[in-house]
């Protein structure tokens, strides 16, 4: 497959539902909040990091429960980041059926979009992806761009 086009989306007020409340969810929720999204995290266990964040951020709500098949409605974007591959697959299938853009953290084949490494300085925003093929390289490049932006912006 060819490279994914870097579309820059207005996330202000968009409703994002994140399944899973672990390490990966926390990193991504933090990024989404910076861009003005309204985020709901649904998971039986939610990390301390996310709990602290929810105390400070009105745009973040936490739901302590498992994903339920058929539950998705009035959602603009979904991230499936549970540690259960089967659950992530079920979320993926429901999103496909309801035409909700979805990212499955455990399976690069099941991503309508990749979650980029983000470098932001003032009005400049850079998103980095290796097209699902090399998250380590994406991370390295993002870090270098962050340094560069600090220097020149
Ligand atoms: C395909 C993608 C799917 C998606 O969009 O969900 C995906 C998939 C996977 N990542 C895995 C592991 C890790 N990913 C990271 C970090 C990042 N991963 C990110 C994006 C993406 N990761 C998507 C596009 C990737 C691309 O562009 O090619 C970044 C850019 C953005 C973000 O997640 O915030 C962020 C770096 C930016 C930053 O830090 O700023 C770390 C932490 C670290 O490296 O420190 C680890 C821990 C492991 C380690 O350390 O090895 C595994 C598990 C299997 C494995 O270990 O290989 C899979 C599953 C699979 O590959 O199928
Ligand atoms: N894309 C990426 O950058 C990376 C992706 N991964 C993948 O991401 C996924 C999550 O990784 P971590 O955050 O490290 O896991 P974690 O173990 O820290 O968190 C897992 C979360 O899933 C929740 N969960 C379990 N069953 C659930 C259900 N039925 N419904 C809703 N939530 C449920 C747990 O309560 C917990 O909050 C894994 O599938 C892993 O393979 C892992 C590393 C990096």
């Amino acid at each position: 497959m060819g490279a994914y086009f870097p579309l820059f989306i207005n996330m202000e007020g968009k409703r994002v539902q994140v399944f899973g409340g672990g390490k990966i969810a926390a990193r991504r929720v933090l990024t989404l909040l910076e861009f003005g999204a309204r985020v709901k995290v649904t998971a039986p266990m939610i990390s301390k990091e996310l709990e602290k964040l929810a105390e400070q951020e009105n745009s973040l709500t936490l739901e302590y429960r498992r994903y339920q098949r058929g539950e998705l409605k009035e959602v603009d974007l979904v991230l499936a980041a549970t540690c259960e591959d089967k659950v992530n697959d079920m979320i993926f299938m429901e999103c496909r059926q309801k035409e909700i853009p979805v990212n499955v953290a455990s399976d690069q084949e099941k991503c309508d979009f990749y979650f980029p490494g983000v470098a932001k300085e003032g009005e400049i925003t850079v998103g980095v992806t290796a097209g699902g093929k090399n998250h380590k390289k994406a991370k390295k490049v993002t870090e270098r761009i962050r340094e560069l932006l600090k220097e020149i912006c």
Side-chain angles (χ1 to χ4, degrees), residues 37-92:
R38 282 191 285 156
V39 182
K40 186 158 77 179
V41 171
T42 306
M45 304 271 290
I46 298 180
S47 70
K48 285 268 168 324
E49 195 185 347
L50 280 167
E51 286 177 336
K52 270 196 195 142
L53 198 60
E55 282 170 19
Q56 301 155 7
E57 291 273 356
N58 289 332
S59 310
L60 175 60
T61 53
L62 309 179
E63 284 183 337
Y64 292 85
R65 60 170 181 83
R66 304 173 77 81
Y67 161 73
Q68 289 162 340
R69 197 193 295 244
E71 72 166 83
L72 294 172
K73 55 174 190 265
E74 294 170 358
V75 186
D76 298 306
L77 208 72
V78 168
L79 303 189
T82 82
C83 48
E84 302 281 339
D85 288 359
K86 275 193 195 136
V87 176
N88 289 345
D89 279 358
M90 275 160 47
I91 296 166
F92 171 77

XYZ file of all heavy atoms in Angstrom, residues 37-92:
452
model
N -9.767 18.005 21.431
C -10.782 16.948 21.321
C -11.476 16.722 22.663
O -10.926 17.027 23.720
C -10.124 15.645 20.861
N -12.719 16.203 22.588
C -13.420 15.755 23.797
C -13.247 14.240 23.867
O -13.690 13.524 22.979
C -14.906 16.086 23.714
C -15.189 17.553 23.999
C -16.661 17.766 24.174
N -17.338 17.730 22.889
C -18.620 17.424 22.739
N -19.349 17.117 23.778
N -19.171 17.425 21.533
N -12.576 13.781 24.900
C -12.158 12.385 24.925
C -12.863 11.608 26.038
O -12.961 12.076 27.174
C -10.625 12.278 25.132
C -10.174 10.825 25.101
C -9.878 13.087 24.070
N -13.348 10.418 25.664
C -13.917 9.506 26.662
C -13.069 8.248 26.664
O -12.841 7.649 25.620
C -15.356 9.176 26.271
C -16.095 8.356 27.284
C -17.598 8.511 27.136
C -18.098 7.686 25.951
N -19.557 7.779 25.788
N -12.583 7.871 27.851
C -11.795 6.645 27.971
C -12.665 5.574 28.623
O -13.246 5.801 29.691
C -10.522 6.870 28.821
C -9.822 5.555 29.128
C -9.568 7.814 28.097
N -12.771 4.426 27.973
C -13.592 3.330 28.479
C -12.704 2.116 28.718
O -12.112 1.581 27.771
C -14.680 2.963 27.441
O -15.410 4.146 27.107
C -15.627 1.910 27.986
N -12.602 1.706 29.981
C -11.783 0.536 30.324
C -12.067 0.133 31.765
O -12.349 0.995 32.603
C -10.296 0.852 30.164
N -11.960 -1.159 32.078
C -12.178 -1.575 33.472
C -11.083 -1.056 34.401
O -11.335 -0.749 35.567
C -12.178 -3.104 33.409
C -11.717 -3.494 32.061
C -11.831 -2.307 31.157
N -9.843 -0.975 33.886
C -8.728 -0.455 34.697
C -8.158 0.757 33.979
O -7.797 0.659 32.810
C -7.611 -1.495 34.806
C -8.047 -2.842 35.354
S -7.936 -2.880 37.120
C -6.172 -2.871 37.335
N -8.047 1.857 34.709
C -7.535 3.082 34.084
C -6.314 3.561 34.866
O -6.324 3.578 36.104
C -8.647 4.151 34.010
C -9.806 3.620 33.128
C -8.111 5.471 33.472
C -10.976 4.538 32.946
N -5.269 3.937 34.145
C -4.002 4.274 34.803
C -4.117 5.544 35.645
O -4.938 6.413 35.381
C -2.896 4.452 33.752
O -3.129 5.629 32.999
N -3.214 5.633 36.633
C -3.138 6.808 37.509
C -2.930 8.079 36.678
O -3.499 9.128 36.971
C -1.957 6.669 38.482
C -2.185 5.693 39.610
C -2.757 6.422 40.828
C -3.284 5.518 41.925
N -3.950 4.289 41.577
N -2.102 7.951 35.652
C -1.782 9.092 34.795
C -3.067 9.682 34.184
O -3.283 10.897 34.203
C -0.826 8.631 33.695
C -0.161 9.766 32.971
C 0.689 9.289 31.802
O 0.972 8.075 31.692
O 1.060 10.147 30.975
N -3.921 8.800 33.683
C -5.170 9.271 33.083
C -6.127 9.812 34.143
O -6.839 10.786 33.921
C -5.832 8.140 32.289
C -5.239 7.896 30.900
C -5.718 6.568 30.323
C -5.590 9.034 29.947
N -6.123 9.171 35.319
C -6.997 9.651 36.397
C -6.607 11.070 36.821
O -7.455 11.924 37.021
C -6.950 8.685 37.587
C -7.713 7.409 37.300
C -7.643 6.375 38.408
O -6.665 6.411 39.201
O -8.550 5.531 38.479
N -5.311 11.311 36.925
C -4.826 12.650 37.292
C -5.220 13.672 36.230
O -5.673 14.771 36.532
C -3.299 12.636 37.429
C -2.849 12.318 38.815
C -1.386 12.693 39.007
C -0.846 12.040 40.267
N 0.524 11.569 40.118
N -5.032 13.263 34.990
C -5.339 14.136 33.858
C -6.833 14.501 33.855
O -7.211 15.651 33.604
C -4.958 13.416 32.560
C -4.786 14.247 31.306
C -3.696 15.284 31.492
C -4.439 13.335 30.119
N -7.676 13.518 34.159
C -9.131 13.740 34.146
C -9.551 14.736 35.225
O -10.544 15.456 35.069
C -9.865 12.419 34.310
N -8.776 14.784 36.330
C -9.090 15.756 37.389
C -8.851 17.186 36.915
O -9.512 18.119 37.358
C -8.220 15.487 38.627
C -8.709 14.317 39.450
C -7.708 13.924 40.528
O -6.828 14.750 40.876
O -7.799 12.772 41.003
N -7.881 17.328 36.000
C -7.535 18.683 35.540
C -8.259 19.100 34.272
O -8.352 20.270 33.965
C -6.025 18.759 35.252
C -5.142 18.435 36.426
C -3.767 17.923 35.978
O -3.440 17.941 34.792
N -2.974 17.459 36.921
N -8.719 18.127 33.508
C -9.243 18.411 32.162
C -10.734 18.111 32.065
O -11.135 16.948 32.157
C -8.505 17.531 31.127
C -7.062 17.899 30.930
C -6.881 18.990 29.892
O -7.881 19.402 29.265
O -5.728 19.422 29.712
N -11.537 19.140 31.825
C -12.975 18.920 31.669
C -13.295 18.110 30.425
O -14.336 17.467 30.349
C -13.707 20.263 31.575
C -13.703 20.974 32.912
O -13.647 20.321 33.962
N -13.745 22.300 32.888
N -12.415 18.174 29.439
C -12.675 17.489 28.168
C -12.406 15.991 28.219
O -12.574 15.308 27.219
C -11.802 18.073 27.064
O -11.900 19.449 27.045
N -11.929 15.518 29.377
C -11.640 14.085 29.495
C -12.577 13.432 30.513
O -12.648 13.853 31.662
C -10.183 13.879 29.935
C -9.750 12.440 30.230
C -9.907 11.542 29.012
C -8.293 12.405 30.716
N -13.316 12.409 30.056
C -14.158 11.655 30.995
C -13.731 10.190 30.997
O -13.257 9.670 29.990
C -15.661 11.751 30.648
O -15.831 11.383 29.280
C -16.210 13.134 30.851
N -13.911 9.557 32.156
C -13.493 8.162 32.303
C -14.696 7.286 32.615
O -15.552 7.665 33.420
C -12.474 8.034 33.452
C -11.273 8.982 33.432
C -10.378 8.733 34.650
C -10.461 8.825 32.148
N -14.747 6.141 31.963
C -15.818 5.170 32.218
C -15.177 3.840 32.586
O -14.496 3.245 31.754
C -16.639 4.927 30.941
C -17.598 6.010 30.567
C -18.412 5.619 29.329
O -17.951 4.762 28.535
O -19.501 6.174 29.173
N -15.426 3.384 33.806
C -14.794 2.145 34.272
C -15.642 0.939 33.897
O -16.440 0.455 34.692
C -14.584 2.201 35.786
C -13.558 3.229 36.187
C -13.918 4.562 36.365
C -12.231 2.871 36.377
C -12.980 5.515 36.723
C -11.287 3.818 36.735
C -11.667 5.131 36.900
O -10.725 6.068 37.246
N -15.498 0.495 32.678
C -16.228 -0.698 32.219
C -15.590 -1.234 30.942
O -14.756 -0.572 30.325
C -17.699 -0.362 31.973
C -17.918 0.712 30.913
C -19.384 0.847 30.518
N -19.552 1.863 29.496
C -19.373 1.673 28.200
N -18.985 0.483 27.740
N -19.537 2.645 27.326
N -16.006 -2.436 30.556
C -15.495 -3.046 29.332
C -16.272 -2.549 28.119
O -17.390 -2.052 28.269
C -15.627 -4.571 29.410
C -14.950 -5.189 30.593
C -15.249 -6.662 30.701
N -14.474 -7.426 29.733
C -13.210 -7.786 29.911
N -12.577 -7.449 31.016
N -12.577 -8.487 29.012
N -15.678 -2.711 26.968
C -16.373 -2.434 25.702
C -17.570 -3.370 25.582
O -17.476 -4.560 25.905
C -15.403 -2.660 24.538
C -16.085 -2.853 23.203
C -16.671 -1.783 22.538
C -16.152 -4.119 22.607
C -17.307 -1.972 21.310
C -16.777 -4.311 21.392
C -17.357 -3.234 20.751
O -17.982 -3.425 19.547
N -18.698 -2.808 25.111
C -19.882 -3.641 24.864
C -20.222 -3.582 23.390
O -20.349 -2.492 22.831
C -21.078 -3.117 25.681
C -20.935 -3.360 27.160
C -21.846 -2.491 27.992
O -22.336 -1.456 27.537
N -22.070 -2.913 29.214
N -20.382 -4.742 22.796
C -20.668 -4.790 21.363
C -21.923 -3.980 21.028
O -22.934 -4.081 21.726
C -20.878 -6.253 20.960
C -20.781 -6.471 19.465
C -21.308 -7.834 19.143
N -20.482 -8.875 19.726
C -19.802 -9.770 19.004
N -19.836 -9.727 17.707
N -19.098 -10.706 19.593
N -21.857 -3.153 20.010
C -23.022 -2.389 19.559
C -23.201 -1.045 20.258
O -24.144 -0.316 19.998
N -22.248 -0.687 21.144
C -22.443 0.507 21.968
C -22.156 1.839 21.256
O -22.565 2.895 21.725
C -21.557 0.440 23.217
C -20.075 0.639 22.952
C -19.303 0.914 24.243
O -18.950 -0.052 24.952
O -19.090 2.091 24.534
N -21.452 1.789 20.117
C -20.955 3.044 19.552
C -22.035 3.902 18.907
O -22.703 3.474 17.969
C -19.856 2.758 18.532
C -18.568 2.158 19.099
C -17.640 1.749 17.984
C -17.894 3.153 20.030
N -22.193 5.100 19.453
C -23.054 6.070 18.778
C -22.596 7.485 19.148
O -22.023 7.715 20.206
C -24.528 5.853 19.091
C -24.911 5.831 20.544
C -26.422 5.753 20.656
C -26.900 5.957 22.054
N -27.136 4.796 22.864
N -22.837 8.409 18.234
C -22.428 9.802 18.432
C -20.942 9.926 18.782
O -20.561 10.566 19.764
C -23.308 10.462 19.495
C -24.751 10.586 19.022
C -25.729 11.009 20.101
O -25.302 11.178 21.261
O -26.903 11.167 19.770
N -20.130 9.236 18.014
C -18.678 9.287 18.183
C -18.058 9.646 16.835
O -18.482 9.151 15.798
C -18.119 7.903 18.621
C -16.645 8.002 18.922
C -18.862 7.367 19.816
N -17.061 10.528 16.857
C -16.431 10.940 15.593
C -15.215 10.093 15.242
O -14.890 9.929 14.066
C -15.997 12.413 15.691
C -17.189 13.328 15.905
O -18.136 13.251 15.107
O -17.195 14.093 16.890
N -14.538 9.585 16.286
C -13.272 8.889 16.061
C -13.069 7.874 17.194
O -13.405 8.164 18.341
C -12.152 9.932 16.137
C -10.877 9.708 15.372
C -11.120 9.889 13.882
C -9.824 10.728 15.826
N -12.512 6.711 16.850
C -12.310 5.691 17.881
C -10.866 5.201 17.873
O -10.279 4.988 16.812
C -13.272 4.486 17.658
C -12.877 3.295 18.525
C -14.718 4.890 17.949
N -10.293 5.045 19.073
C -9.001 4.380 19.217
C -9.224 3.097 20.008
O -9.771 3.142 21.114
C -7.984 5.247 19.989
C -7.631 6.649 19.498
C -6.449 7.181 20.297
C -7.304 6.683 18.031
N -8.827 1.971 19.416
C -8.914 0.692 20.134
C -7.530 0.382 20.668
O -6.628 0.023 19.916
C -9.393 -0.400 19.185
N -7.354 0.539 21.976
C -6.038 0.351 22.588
C -6.154 -0.503 23.841
O -5.532 -0.227 24.857
C -5.401 1.707 22.904
N -6.994 -1.540 23.757
C -7.053 -2.470 24.890
C -5.952 -3.506 24.689
O -5.393 -3.641 23.605
C -8.419 -3.205 24.987
O -8.429 -4.318 24.085
C -9.586 -2.288 24.670
N -5.654 -4.264 25.766
C -4.618 -5.293 25.657
C -5.189 -6.609 25.133
O -4.485 -7.604 25.060
C -3.946 -5.484 27.011
S -5.134 -5.661 28.343
N -6.476 -6.619 24.788
C -7.118 -7.831 24.266
C -7.304 -7.686 22.754
O -8.176 -6.933 22.308
C -8.509 -8.004 24.912
C -8.494 -8.099 26.422
C -8.092 -9.490 26.889
O -8.219 -10.443 26.101
O -7.645 -9.603 28.042
N -6.522 -8.432 22.003
C -6.616 -8.306 20.542
C -8.024 -8.580 20.023
O -8.485 -7.926 19.086
C -5.621 -9.252 19.853
C -4.182 -8.778 20.008
O -3.984 -7.712 20.639
O -3.272 -9.470 19.521
N -8.692 -9.544 20.646
C -10.053 -9.890 20.197
C -11.015 -8.731 20.400
O -11.901 -8.487 19.586
C -10.570 -11.117 20.955
C -10.141 -12.414 20.328
C -10.946 -13.568 20.918
C -10.272 -14.880 20.565
N -10.216 -15.805 21.693
N -10.864 -8.052 21.514
C -11.716 -6.888 21.803
C -11.419 -5.781 20.789
O -12.330 -5.185 20.216
C -11.502 -6.380 23.257
C -12.295 -5.120 23.528
C -11.865 -7.467 24.253
N -10.131 -5.542 20.547
C -9.759 -4.523 19.555
C -10.371 -4.858 18.191
O -10.860 -3.966 17.488
C -8.232 -4.425 19.438
C -7.589 -3.799 20.669
O -8.272 -3.186 21.488
N -6.286 -3.959 20.806
N -10.373 -6.136 17.841
C -10.965 -6.573 16.566
C -12.465 -6.296 16.525
O -12.993 -5.865 15.498
C -10.774 -8.088 16.373
C -9.396 -8.409 15.858
O -8.615 -7.466 15.622
O -9.100 -9.608 15.703
N -13.139 -6.567 17.633
C -14.592 -6.333 17.681
C -14.908 -4.839 17.527
O -15.856 -4.455 16.838
C -15.171 -6.858 19.006
C -15.485 -8.347 18.936
S -15.615 -9.141 20.553
C -16.648 -8.052 21.450
N -14.092 -4.022 18.178
C -14.281 -2.562 18.079
C -14.074 -2.134 16.624
O -14.859 -1.361 16.059
C -13.303 -1.820 19.027
C -13.610 -2.171 20.484
C -13.366 -0.311 18.798
C -12.535 -1.774 21.478
N -13.020 -2.684 16.027
C -12.723 -2.382 14.623
C -13.927 -2.717 13.729
O -14.355 -1.915 12.897
C -11.486 -3.162 14.178
C -11.226 -3.094 12.704
C -10.667 -1.953 12.136
C -11.546 -4.163 11.875
C -10.433 -1.879 10.769
C -11.314 -4.097 10.511
C -10.764 -2.961 9.951
